[in-house]
Amino acid sequence: PWLLGEGRAERARQDSLLHRCAFDNNNLRCVCYDFLVASGYANPDGSRHWPLPLHTTTADFDAAAFARERAREMLGEVREGGFLLGKRVSAADLFLYEHLVLCSCVDSELDSMLPAAKEFRERVEALPAVKAYREGPDWIE
């Protein structure tokens, strides 16, 4: 339960961030597989968020720029303390970590252009459970 946040407001924030990150991650994966999704989601203010232009094709789509912009947007949600909910790690932080790994694979300049991405990944990798997993026999580099 601690991965979901404490209290309704924190759980709602975590849930919203997790879904935003998952949505962007899915769209980036679709680009990697040469398939674009023309879908969006509603923002809290009622506007629509369209991560991909509706008439875009993978031939004219800049995946690296998309990855960098989405990473920058999600990292803007990190609070004082280093994680999305502050000092405590949430499920959304772990998904953001995975998303930033994918972004860095798509955009080779991500870490130099957005140092906060590398810093966030290193913060997650330093967590005892994550560090133990990465050093264990089940980790695939």
Side-chain angles (χ1 to χ4, degrees):
W2 59 271
L3 281 175
L4 302 178
E6 292 182 4
R8 292 181 75 155
E10 214 173 68
R11 285 194 299 272
R13 174 178 165 73
Q14 187 276 152
D15 188 56
S16 174
L17 292 169
L18 178 65
H19 283 88
R20 277 178 48 199
C21 189
F23 188 77
D24 289 342
N25 187 274
N26 183 60
N27 279 303
L28 187 54
R29 287 178 185 280
C30 288
V31 169
C32 293
Y33 292 117
D34 198 30
F35 173 75
L36 294 179
V37 178
S39 63
Y41 61 85
N43 289 316
D45 66 3
S47 64
R48 295 287 289 174
H49 174 76
W50 297 98
L52 302 174
L54 291 177
H55 302 291
T56 300
T57 65
T58 53
D60 60 11
F61 185 75
D62 186 346
F66 175 79
R68 193 174 311 129
E69 180 55 34
R70 292 298 172 248
R72 180 178 287 114
E73 184 179 300
M74 287 303 299
L75 287 165
E77 297 290 346
V78 174
R79 292 186 168 172
E80 187 176 326
F83 296 103
L84 294 168
L85 297 181
K87 293 182 181 179
R88 283 195 332 275
V89 178
S90 69
D93 290 299
L94 299 176
F95 200 90
L96 177 55
Y97 168 81
E98 191 276 334
H99 181 60
L100 292 174
V101 169
L102 176 62
C103 288
S104 68
C105 291
V106 172
D107 180 8
S108 61
E109 298 179 8
L110 181 72
D111 290 346
S112 63
M113 296 186 77
L114 190 59
K118 183 177 182 185
E119 293 164 6
F120 185 86
R121 289 194 321 270
E122 289 173 345
R123 207 166 23 257
V124 170
E125 290 169 359
L127 295 168
V130 174
K131 185 175 181 179
Y133 173 71
R134 288 176 54 92
E135 293 173 353
D138 296 326
W139 176 252
I140 300 171
E141 188 67 37

